[in-house]
Amino acid sequence: MKIGIFDSGIGGLSVLHEAYHQLPDQEFIFYADTEHVPYGLKTPEQIIGYATEITQFLIDKGVDAIVVACNTATSVAIKGLRKRFDLPILGMEPAVKPAVEGTDDKRIMVIATPVTIREDKLKDLLHRVDEHHRVDLLAMPRLVEFAEREEFESPDVTEYVNSQFSAYDKSDYCALVLGCTHFNYFKPAYRQYFGEKTLLIDGNDGTVRHLADVMGLSISPDKDKKMDDEHNILCLRNTEYFFSGKKVLDKETIKRLQRLHLRLEQVRNI
Ligand code: DGL
């Protein structure tokens, strides 16, 4: 089966990376819209335009299903895409439901882009699942910039993360939901801020399991095995990578993708 996965940039690689673990035998096309990142600061109309074009591109490449590996694009574009195109299109939304169901009565913080936080999709979700009003929302758009620059551990990142969280009392929180795929790269910074007990919840595992379910694929029994760098990451599996419509062929970009997968492997279980 050929699966198309797209995002505004390198955030969606975290979903692809999880798919390497769970569905290692499938073929993938990964599309990062690097010319238009960040989506989180664009208008809904712009994002719908990009997402429609990318979906058509992936369909022309023969994919059997598409994962919108972007919470922002999902919030504004998923309904229209499903109406317009006749193949399974899976979206992502902040994993609020598992966070609410899997924790006690302490508070839950959802971090996402400004668009995701503003849109009705997240409000509707909270209305359905956040019965006791335990969830707080926080936009962290600069993390997308930092991620695109591969700046994951710098003093500027630490300062930004700490200052964004500083208005909240960290001891009130039992879970942090990563409602933007770019935010996965910064798990060590959140862990350092919140300490060992706060759960870090991303949507990748749920999204890939949902994909497997919809497409009738079985999940690898080795999904939790750590990938050994040489064979599993550096060959980038059965994947064609595109950056805004251009196939990635140059050595430098391939090296960059390998570095990013290595980072995602390191932070997968933090
Ligand atoms: N990675 C995207 C998300 O999950 C959006 C980041 C951006 O382009 O602003 O929301």
Side-chain angles (χ1 to χ4, degrees), residues 180-192:
C180 170
T181 49
H182 278 79
F183 295 179
N184 283 280
Y185 294 98
F186 304 96
K187 283 181 181 172
Y190 318 134
R191 178 58 72 219
Q192 200 177 9

Side-chain angles (χ1 to χ4, degrees), residues 28-262:
F28 300 96
I29 298 190
F30 180 79
Y31 189 118
D33 195 7
T34 45
E35 275 173 23
H36 299 121
V37 68
Y39 282 5
L41 300 173
K42 302 276 190 310
T43 65
E45 292 71 27
Q46 285 174 306
I47 301 166
I48 290 168
Y50 305 142
T52 307
E53 207 177 290
I54 297 168
T55 302
Q56 186 63 60
F57 179 94
L58 292 171
I59 291 172
D60 294 344
K61 294 275 173 213
V63 298
D64 301 291
I66 291 177
V67 179
V68 183
C70 176
N71 296 261
T72 309
T74 301
S75 346
V76 296
I78 197 88
K79 268 198 198 149
L81 294 178
R82 286 185 181 138
K83 246 194 222 156
R84 184 164 176 157
F85 299 105
D86 188 22
L87 82 171
I89 301 180
L90 286 80
M92 287 191 84
E93 62 185 5
V96 176
K97 196 161 182 255
V100 170
E101 287 172 356
T103 58
D104 54 20
D105 56 352
K106 285 177 85 179
R107 301 201 64 73
I108 293 162
M109 173 94 74
V110 176
I111 52 174
T113 67
V115 169
T116 303
I117 287 188
R118 247 189 340 256
E119 283 297 313
D120 287 344
K121 197 159 191 308
L122 182 53
K123 293 195 185 104
D124 292 347
L125 175 67
L126 292 183
H127 191 70
R128 282 200 312 277
V129 306
D130 183 23
E131 243 180 272
H132 301 290
H133 306 289
R134 290 202 285 138
V135 175
D136 293 311
L137 305 177
L138 179 62
M140 292 184 95
R142 282 195 64 203
L143 288 184
V144 177
E145 263 176 56
F146 284 124
E148 290 293 328
R149 288 209 294 269
E150 281 184 72
E151 188 177 334
F152 304 128
E153 306 252 358
S154 70
D156 285 352
V157 168
T158 311
E159 194 193 311
Y160 178 65
V161 167
N162 294 358
S163 71
Q164 293 298 103
F165 288 141
S166 66
Y168 304 85
D169 182 346
K170 61 183 163 195
S171 65
D172 287 345
Y173 290 86
C174 59
L176 178 71
V177 174
L178 313 188
C180 170
T181 49
H182 278 79
F183 295 179
N184 283 280
Y185 294 98
F186 304 96
K187 283 181 181 172
Y190 318 134
R191 178 58 72 219
Q192 200 177 9
Y193 184 84
F194 283 101
E196 287 307 314
K197 281 200 195 125
T198 305
L199 292 172
L200 303 181
I201 305 178
D202 65 64
N204 295 343
D205 174 57
T207 301
V208 176
R209 274 191 291 117
H210 184 43
L211 170 67
D213 199 33
V214 169
M215 302 309 285
L217 303 168
S218 24
I219 292 194
S220 165
D222 292 332
K223 73 178 177 61
D224 295 322
K225 229 170 142 178
K226 208 160 165 40
M227 281 187 182
D228 85 86
D229 306 348
E230 279 306 310
H231 296 102
N232 288 316
I233 299 179
L234 300 182
C235 69
L236 300 176
R237 298 252 170 187
N238 305 322
T239 310
E240 277 186 280
Y241 287 86
F242 291 87
F243 279 8
S244 293
K246 292 179 206 79
K247 189 168 165 141
V248 172
L249 294 165
D250 64 291
K251 269 200 192 135
E252 212 172 294
T253 314
I254 290 170
K255 275 208 185 115
R256 175 167 187 237
L257 291 167
Q258 291 169 333
R259 273 199 308 276
L260 292 167
H261 277 292
L262 281 171

